[in-house]
Structure formats: structure tokens, C-alpha cells
Amino acid sequence: MSLANLRTHYTSQIDPQQLSDQKVTLAGWVHEVRDLGGICFVVLRDREGRAQVTLVKKKTDPEMLDTARKLVRESVVSIRGMIKPESKAPNGYELIPEEIILLNEAQSPLPMDTTGKVEAELDTRLDSRFIDLRRERTTAIFRIRHEVLRAVRSFLTDRGFIETSSPKVVATATEGGTSLFPITYFDREAFLNQSPQLFKQILMSGGLDRVFEIGPIFRAEEHDTRRHLNEATSIDIEASFCDHFDVMEILENMVAYIYEQVIENASTSLAFLGAELKVPKLPFLKLTYDEAIEIVNASSDEMLNWGDDLGTMAEHIIGEHVYKETGESHYFIIDWPTEIKPFYAIPYEENPLLSKAFDMMHRTMELSSGAQRVHVPEMLIGRIESQGLDPEGFEFYLKAFRYGMPPHAGWGIGCERLVMSMLGVDNIRDVVLFPRDRRRLSP
Ligand code: ATP
Ligand code: MG
């Protein structure tokens, strides 16, 4: 038996009028079997939808009827038959079978319900992700993620960016050694990289001019929040002869474009999730760090959680404030104190206490950080030292600055945070197929 004969169409590709009385073969999972005595319905489900297979007892070969009745839910089948338009059936047709091939029988009971009648706990769903993905709602998230990444690639390619990849196994920390996973690399210690930052900057010295990368970042932070993973997907750009305002403009336009593309290409998936997207208005509001602090101070004083960043509660207060004032969820915070931003962010010449660094925020959380970078080697060494780091560990990076490094700027935006903020999903684990967090290392 050739596998090519197991399927001629997806369930969604059947036009009941055009294919009326014609033979097709569908393949997928047994979603449901309803045996009503004189008539038996099998609902076949594939990636694109469902089809009703109808077996009328009097008109059906007894052996095939027996096979159909005994089908166990979620088994894999291929069913060849005739298309009959039927307005009461899903998609407006039913399939009158001529042959049912059981390709692989599912055990029962299933690890979790797939019909959507009972909502399983997130942990249960993640433990049996393969079954969870058989629910349209779950698949919808990953179809939308695909559209997001497709839009990113097309947007950046159209603007002259070249897609590159940087190593994930590295010898030095990007921003100091606190939040890295150490690994054994032959007889040496190495780390999983927390960001492509240093490498994408080296590429600017190489003259690639505009690059982007979509790849994993690893953070060994022990937080257990709804918006942190220990392995995440970062969308990063770096662009030469640009300042922070230039790359902010690229970022906000990209976000708006992604929303447009998802609305255009993933409407069915959005409907499954009950998500209604509104394309964010351009340009995004720009608050200075000082203005952001003022908003927080004006609203409360005891809830603040100052770390070396804007605390979570502060982010919420500002996000709600901006939303109330503008009706928009996205905004920038610019002009950060140099002290609390990484060494590679360039300070303003006229006020070195502030840097040309920014965060792009969603009402609910930080989505992106970026900056114009330090491109002068002496200044960079000074900045590395002032953050208590040893420039010697950064020699491979510093070298690229000594032989002609153009001024440049860039940002990184978390793919998962982008998707979850877009869809109103409140746990980041929902938008990752196989999340890695403090407790979860399998599957
Ligand atoms: P936060 O302060 O929210 O923990 P961060 O400032 O440490 O984030 P950056 O180093 O600025 O994060 O990384 C750039 C972007 O990458 C973040 O804005 C976020 O969208 C994403 N990102 C960073 N760390 C994580 C993580 N642990 N889980 C998911 N996404 C992350
Ligand atoms: Mg950040």
C-alpha cells in the first residue's frame, strides 16, 4: 500500500457542490463515533477541520460497519468514500465510506479530553502536549506563532535585513555570569548563550550592515512567573549607521505589520481563541524613564518593587495609565539611567548619566529592550569595567571594535511575549510547545 493513497484532500479542501458524488480519501483522527443503531456517524478530524462519515446500516457492508462501530476515539484512520452535500453536517458534506483503514489504534482512556468539554489543567496539557495539540484551540496558537514569524521574516527582509545565526554554546557571559546555564564542553566549562547581543554587534564590524536572528536564548534565572521561561525565542536585530530612534521606528512598524498579517492570514485561528486584534496605532507613545517614574509615584507608594529595573507592579501601573490616556497598549520607555542598562548601551554625550536605551512595553509586560550601542572601544572597556566585569573575558568582542566599527543600534523582542500579549494569553507556557521552566525539563 502506497502512503500516497491514504489521503487525497484535507477536510477543508472539499467543495461539496464541486465534488458531489466524487471519490476522495480523508485521513486523520477519530474525533467521535456515534452509533444510533440504524445509522452510525464517525467524525474524522484532521489539521484543518472535521468531516462527518455516515454509515447507514441497511446500505453498508456489515464488515465495514463493524469496523466503524469499534473505532476507538483518537485512533488514526484513512477513509475513502463518496462526497454527498449535506447541509446539516460540518462543512456542508458527508462522506459515504467505501473503505475504512485503521492505521493505528489509540489506547483508552486518553491522558486528557480532546473534545474541549472538560478544560484540563495547564500541567496536564503540557505533560501530554501531543494530545493537547489535537484541540483546535491549542493548534490555533501555534498557527498564529507561525504567522508572526513569517511576518517578521518578510518585514525585515523587505527592509534589507539579512537573517543570521549565532552560536548558542559560548565561553563568556553576555552581561555577566549570574544567569547562565553552565555546560561541559569537552574539558572546558562553557555556557548556553543568554542573548545573541555580542555576536550581532560583531557582525556590524563585519559590514553586514543590517542583520536579524530568530533563535533560542537561555536564562538561568529561578523566577517562576507567568512571563518568564528559561529557554525563550528571541527576535533580534542590529543595524549600522542607525540610532535608537531609527530602530524604535523599525520595531513599532514591525509590530503593527505583524498584527495586520495575523488578522489577514489567521482569522480562523483567531476565532478559535476568541481573540479580536486591533492593529496598534503608530507611532507608539514615548515616555521618558523619569516620566514613567512620575506616573508610578503619583499612583501609589507602597506597591513599588524596585529592583534594578522597573518592577512588575510599576510596569502595570504605567501600562494601565497609558491605556487609559491613549487607548493603546504599546509604548516605549526611553532615556534610561546608564547605571541600570547593560554596558553596551551608549550614554548621551550631553548627559552621560542617561543612555540611548529603550524598552518597548505592552500594557501587561515588557516586550523588548534595545539601544544605540557603544561603538568606541575605549568607552566600551570603561563601561564594562564600571559594571564590575572584566574586559579580558570580552576580548573576542572588543577586538571587533578596534578595526573599524560603525555606530549601530538594535533590539531584541521575545517571540513568546509578543504572541501572548497579542492573544491575551496569561501564561507564557501556553504559547510554547515544550516549555522549559524551573520545574519542567520534559517533554
Ligand atoms: P524582564 O525584565 O521582563 O525579565 P529582561 O529585561 O531581562 O526581561 P532582556 O534581556 O531585555 O529581558 O531581553 C529582551 C526581551 O527578550 C525581553 O523584553 C523579553 O521579551 C524577552 N525575554 C527575556 N528574558 C525572557 C524570559 N526569561 N522569558 C521569556 N522572554 C524573555
Ligand atoms: Mg529588558
Side-chain angles (χ1 to χ4, degrees):
M1 179 176 61
S2 157
L3 289 189
N5 297 332
L6 291 180
R7 176 171 67 199
T8 58
H9 294 76
Y10 277 128
T11 52
S12 58
Q13 287 172 321
I14 309 268
D15 176 333
Q17 258 56 50
Q18 214 173 21
L19 287 173
S20 174
D21 287 334
Q22 294 197 34
K23 274 184 203 164
V24 303
T25 310
L26 303 178
W29 287 261
V30 175
H31 186 71
E32 200 179 356
V33 181
R34 264 180 300 144
D35 186 358
L36 308 176
I39 192 164
C40 175
F41 297 109
V42 175
V43 179
L44 176 148
R45 188 191 67 243
D46 64 12
R47 194 185 76 180
E48 304 295 314
R50 298 173 192 181
Q52 176 182 302
V53 182
T54 306
L55 301 93
V56 177
K57 189 178 172 187
K58 278 189 282 187
K59 299 188 200 162
T60 307
D61 165 53
E63 208 177 308
M64 187 168 67
L65 185 66
D66 195 48
T67 307
R69 281 177 166 158
K70 288 188 184 141
L71 285 174
V72 176
R73 270 182 51 213
E74 297 303 318
S75 299
V76 177
V77 291
S78 165
I79 304 181
R80 179 166 53 83
M82 193 91 85
I83 295 294
K84 293 274 178 216
E86 167 56 65
S87 57
K88 278 178 273 170
N91 296 322
Y93 67 87
E94 56 185 2
L95 185 71
I96 311 300
E98 289 174 4
E99 186 182 21
I100 299 178
I101 303 173
L102 176 60
L103 292 162
N104 218 337
E105 178 157 290
Q107 286 183 25
S108 69
L110 296 163
M112 58 172 275
D113 174 69
T114 53
T115 60
K117 284 172 197 143
V118 199
E119 183 64 27
E121 295 284 320
L122 181 59
D123 264 330
T124 311
R125 297 202 282 112
L126 293 175
D127 286 340
S128 299
R129 199 50 140 165
F130 65 98
I131 284 277
D132 183 40
L133 281 163
R134 295 188 197 174
R135 305 184 322 145
E136 283 117 346
R137 213 190 127 74
T138 307
T139 312
I141 291 175
F142 297 98
R143 290 190 150 210
I144 290 166
R145 180 183 189 273
H146 163 73
E147 283 305 331
V148 166
L149 291 179
R150 189 164 81 148
V152 166
R153 288 199 163 89
S154 120
F155 178 91
L156 292 173
T157 305
D158 283 352
R159 276 155 193 78
F161 285 83
I162 295 172
E163 183 164 2
T164 55
S165 299
S166 63
K168 303 305 150 207
V169 178
V170 295
T172 349
T174 305
E175 300 169 28
T178 49
S179 53
L180 290 163
F181 288 111
I183 58 164
T184 303
Y185 190 71
F186 301 109
D187 51 357
R188 276 183 287 173
E189 182 176 59
F191 303 95
L192 293 176
N193 207 2
Q194 69 194 104
S195 151
Q197 182 65 31
L198 307 186
F199 293 96
K200 60 180 184 167
Q201 286 192 263
I202 293 175
L203 298 181
M204 296 302 98
S205 178
L208 289 189
D209 204 81
R210 291 175 157 226
V211 300
F212 75 102
E213 171 164 349
I214 300 172
I217 55 170
F218 300 91
R219 308 269 167 121
E221 294 140 6
E222 296 203 14
H223 29 221
D224 193 4
T225 76
R226 288 166 175 272
R227 63 180 204 289
H228 286 98
L229 294 162
N230 294 108
E231 177 177 358
T233 310
S234 181
I235 302 163
D236 268 86
I237 75 156
E238 204 63 31
S240 288
F241 309 105
C242 283
D243 66 12
H244 52 317
F245 289 114
D246 297 324
V247 294
M248 278 190 262
E249 195 191 339
I250 293 172
L251 180 56
E252 62 190 0
N253 276 281
M254 184 181 89
V255 169
Y257 179 75
I258 292 169
Y259 271 71
E260 285 165 13
Q261 287 297 301
V262 168
I263 291 168
E264 195 173 317
N265 300 320
S267 55
T268 314
S269 297
L270 286 173
F272 275 127
L273 294 164
E276 266 183 50
L277 300 196
K278 177 174 136 296
V279 180
K281 255 211 323 272
L282 296 175
F284 295 175
L285 178 72
K286 289 189 184 75
L287 291 176
T288 64
Y289 181 84
D290 283 349
E291 287 166 344
I293 297 296
E294 262 172 49
I295 292 170
V296 179
N297 288 342
S299 97
S300 89
D301 39 18
E302 90 277 1
M303 291 197 292
L304 301 186
N305 163 27
W306 300 109
D308 52 358
D309 212 327
L310 277 178
T312 310
M313 193 51 81
E315 284 179 3
H316 273 284
I317 293 170
I318 305 162
E320 289 312 314
H321 178 91
V322 170
Y323 188 74
K324 223 169 85 195
E325 298 279 302
T326 65
E328 291 293 313
S329 296
H330 296 83
Y331 65 99
F332 286 107
I333 301 177
I334 62 169
D335 298 354
W336 286 71
T338 299
E339 214 182 21
I340 61 178
K341 277 292 175 187
F343 63 78
Y344 45 78
I346 198 168
Y348 281 99
E349 282 137 61
E350 61 280 14
N351 180 6
L353 292 179
L354 293 184
S355 282
K356 298 183 182 179
F358 60 87
D359 277 5
M360 197 269 281
M361 310 293 297
H362 181 264
R363 190 176 168 188
T364 49
M365 73 194 122
E366 175 192 319
L367 294 186
S368 171
S369 287
Q372 184 183 330
R373 321 298 190 185
V374 178
H375 60 283
V376 181
E378 295 73 35
M379 183 193 273
L380 192 53
I381 291 170
R383 295 282 299 124
I384 291 175
E385 282 170 342
S386 76
Q387 305 231 330
L389 298 167
D390 181 1
E392 232 171 78
F394 293 90
E395 188 44 35
F396 76 99
Y397 167 68
L398 289 167
K399 199 171 153 190
F401 288 73
R402 295 198 188 99
Y403 305 92
M405 172 65 94
H408 58 281
W411 42 253
I413 179 168
C415 174
E416 292 82 10
R417 289 200 189 171
L418 179 60
V419 172
M420 70 187 284
S421 60
M422 175 179 253
L423 301 179
V425 167
D426 67 25
N427 194 323
I428 197 166
R429 292 159 185 80
D430 258 316
V431 304
V432 190
L433 283 169
F434 303 105
R436 291 291 172 259
D437 63 21
R438 186 73 188 80
R439 291 166 299 119
R440 191 168 279 282
L441 189 55
S442 173

